[in-house]
């Protein structure tokens, strides 16, 4: 019964991670829409997105008395928040000066950053299959954003937006590994709250003195989009991911993330923001296959661990 319960928890956790990925696939589209409308500048958008999230989540923590759980161990939220804040800033600042598909593709550097960060944090080398799954997923993202069989455009000198998007992806990957290692015994709501608090502080610290042409729109459609980014894509997704990641491997989490690129690129085609390409179909299939490889690897490891525990008894 115990094993069945653990299996159900893992299944629901994986489904939760999939939901997070789907919603995060909508975030770049929402951000690009706001930039095209000249509604908000990138850093200011992240700052207010974070501020709304911190206020709402803070009220919930006060009502539920979750702040009582805070102890010295929550200092780990400081580096986690710095990593997340820089990742968001670089992602949205980069999105302003590169294409949507390239932005989401280059964020897939997270699949390379996760195994490397896990090695640094745990001093345990990843398995060959885990590395293969990550690289295979990265290949899928490469195909996803190509143009037919002509990939030469991806080998041109990168723009500043390309570089920032790649750095954002690497930082998101580092955050995945960091959360997997250090957030196992942390209240997910408190852990996310402090990360968002630090992200908000960093964003305002950059936006107010350094960002040129600050703009803030009060149009209802723009404010509703901002609320969607804050309440759903920030609070909802980060809390759900922090809960689910405890039962899903870091590599599987990283490999799932690029599915956001599939969703974002596909929707941008449907909305006529980009032209249709078979690369979307082929790249999506490759990414899905890499998810299956990682999932099978997880299941095999968990079965072996269960058998070892039973043999000890």
């Amino acid at each position: 019964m115990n094993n069945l319960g653990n299996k159900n928890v893992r299944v629901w956790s994986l489904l939760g991670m999939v939901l997070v990925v789907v919603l995060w696939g909508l975030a770049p589209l929402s951000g690009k829409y706001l930039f095209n409308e000249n509604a908000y500048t990138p850093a200011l958008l992240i700052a207010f997105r974070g501020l709304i999230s911190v206020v709402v989540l803070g009220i919930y923590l006060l009502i539920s008395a979750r702040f009582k759980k805070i102890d010295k161990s929550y200092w780990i939220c400081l580096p986690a928040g710095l990593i997340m804040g820089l990742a968001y800033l670089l992602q949205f600042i980069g999105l302003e000066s590169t294409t949507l598909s390239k932005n989401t593709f280059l964020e897939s550097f997270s699949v390379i950053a996760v195994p490397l960060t896990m090695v640094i944090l745990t001093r345990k080398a990843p398995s060959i299959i885990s590395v293969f799954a990550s690289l295979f997923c990265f290949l899928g993202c490469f195909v996803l954003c190509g143009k037919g069989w002509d990939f030469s455009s991806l080998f041109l000198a990168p723009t500043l937006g390309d570089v920032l998007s790649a750095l954002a992806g690497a930082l998101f990957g580092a955050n995945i590994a960091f959360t997997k290692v250090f957030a196992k015994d942390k209240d997910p709501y408190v852990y996310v709250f402090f990360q968002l608090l630090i992200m908000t502080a960093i964003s305002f610290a950059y936006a107010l003195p350094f960002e040129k042409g600050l703009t803030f729109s009060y149009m209802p459609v723009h404010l509703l989009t901002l609320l969607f980014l804050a309440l759903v894509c920030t609070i909802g997704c980060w809390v759900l991911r922090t809960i689910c990641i405890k039962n899903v491997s870091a590599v599987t989490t990283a490999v799932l993330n690029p599915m956001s690129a599939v969703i974002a690129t596909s929707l941008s085609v449907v909305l006529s923001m980009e032209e249709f390409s078979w690369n979307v179909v082929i790249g999506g299939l490759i990414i899905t296959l890499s998810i299956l490889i990682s999932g099978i690897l997880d299941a095999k490891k968990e079965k072996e661990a269960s058998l070892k525990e039973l043999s000890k008894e």
Side-chain angles (χ1 to χ4, degrees):
M1 195 71 184
N2 233 356
N3 289 334
L4 181 61
N6 290 336
K7 185 177 180 181
N8 288 335
V9 169
R10 289 196 296 271
V11 169
W12 281 109
S13 295
L14 187 58
L15 290 174
M17 295 297 291
V18 171
L19 177 59
V20 169
V21 166
V22 170
L23 291 171
W24 274 346
L26 300 177
L29 288 168
S30 302
K32 197 69 173 178
Y33 160 73
L34 291 174
F35 297 154
N36 291 341
E37 292 278 306
N38 294 316
Y40 309 102
T41 44
L44 197 64
L45 173 62
I46 295 299
F48 276 99
R49 176 179 173 179
L51 181 62
I52 294 169
S53 302
V54 167
V55 171
V56 173
L57 193 54
I59 292 171
Y60 170 73
L61 293 177
L62 282 172
I63 294 172
S64 60
R66 287 178 179 265
F67 278 124
K68 294 179 180 179
K69 297 182 179 182
I70 299 172
D71 55 31
K72 292 180 180 179
S73 68
Y74 278 88
W75 276 106
I76 204 67
C77 296
L78 178 59
L82 288 171
I83 294 170
M84 185 173 80
L86 287 173
Y88 265 118
L89 272 177
L90 295 177
Q91 177 196 30
F92 274 79
I93 292 172
L95 182 59
E96 193 179 35
S97 56
T98 189
T99 63
L100 181 65
S101 58
K102 268 199 170 186
N103 179 265
T104 52
F105 157 65
L106 290 167
E107 283 174 38
S108 298
F109 269 83
S110 62
V111 301
I112 306 298
V114 167
L116 292 176
T117 308
M118 289 296 286
V119 169
I120 294 170
L121 296 177
T122 65
R123 296 184 180 180
K124 293 180 181 179
S127 68
I128 295 174
I129 299 177
S130 295
V131 174
F132 173 77
S134 296
L135 292 175
F136 200 56
C137 181
F138 188 72
L139 171 64
C141 295
F142 181 86
V143 174
L144 177 75
C145 294
K147 295 180 179 179
W149 296 107
D150 178 18
F151 301 115
S152 60
S153 61
L154 294 177
F155 293 100
L156 297 174
T159 64
L160 178 60
D162 296 337
V163 174
L164 295 179
S165 299
L167 288 173
L171 287 169
F172 277 126
N175 184 275
I176 289 170
F178 201 89
T179 299
K180 181 68 180 177
V181 174
F182 296 110
K184 290 180 180 178
D185 59 343
K186 302 292 182 292
D187 183 291
Y189 296 91
V190 177
Y191 182 79
V192 170
F193 172 79
F194 281 114
Q195 284 194 92
L196 292 175
L197 186 64
I198 295 164
M199 181 193 82
T200 303
I202 292 173
S203 300
F204 274 116
Y206 173 81
L208 297 179
F210 300 114
E211 194 165 49
K212 296 179 181 179
L214 288 175
T215 55
F216 186 92
S217 172
Y218 294 94
M219 287 182 61
V221 65
H222 296 157
L223 289 175
L224 285 173
T225 305
L226 174 60
L227 286 173
F228 168 74
L229 286 170
L231 301 180
V232 179
C233 296
T234 306
I235 294 179
C237 287
W238 278 99
V239 169
L240 183 58
R241 198 197 74 157
T242 303
I243 293 171
C244 294
I245 201 173
K246 297 177 182 180
N247 306 299
V248 180
S249 82
V251 174
T252 298
T253 305
V255 171
L256 272 172
N257 276 353
M259 286 299 291
S260 295
V262 178
I263 295 165
T265 306
S266 299
L267 286 176
S268 67
V269 170
V270 172
L271 297 172
S272 300
M273 295 174 71
E274 294 186 32
E275 294 181 4
F276 170 80
S277 170
W278 280 105
N279 293 75
V280 174
V281 178
I282 299 171
L285 288 173
I286 294 174
I287 292 169
T288 303
L289 183 58
S290 68
I291 292 170
L292 291 175
I293 292 171
S294 185
I296 292 169
L297 173 65
D298 275 352
K300 185 179 178 182
K301 281 185 177 179
E302 286 163 2
K303 186 177 181 180
E304 290 174 353
S306 298
L307 289 173
K308 283 182 180 179
E309 288 180 6
L310 289 172
S311 62
K312 287 179 182 178
E313 294 176 0

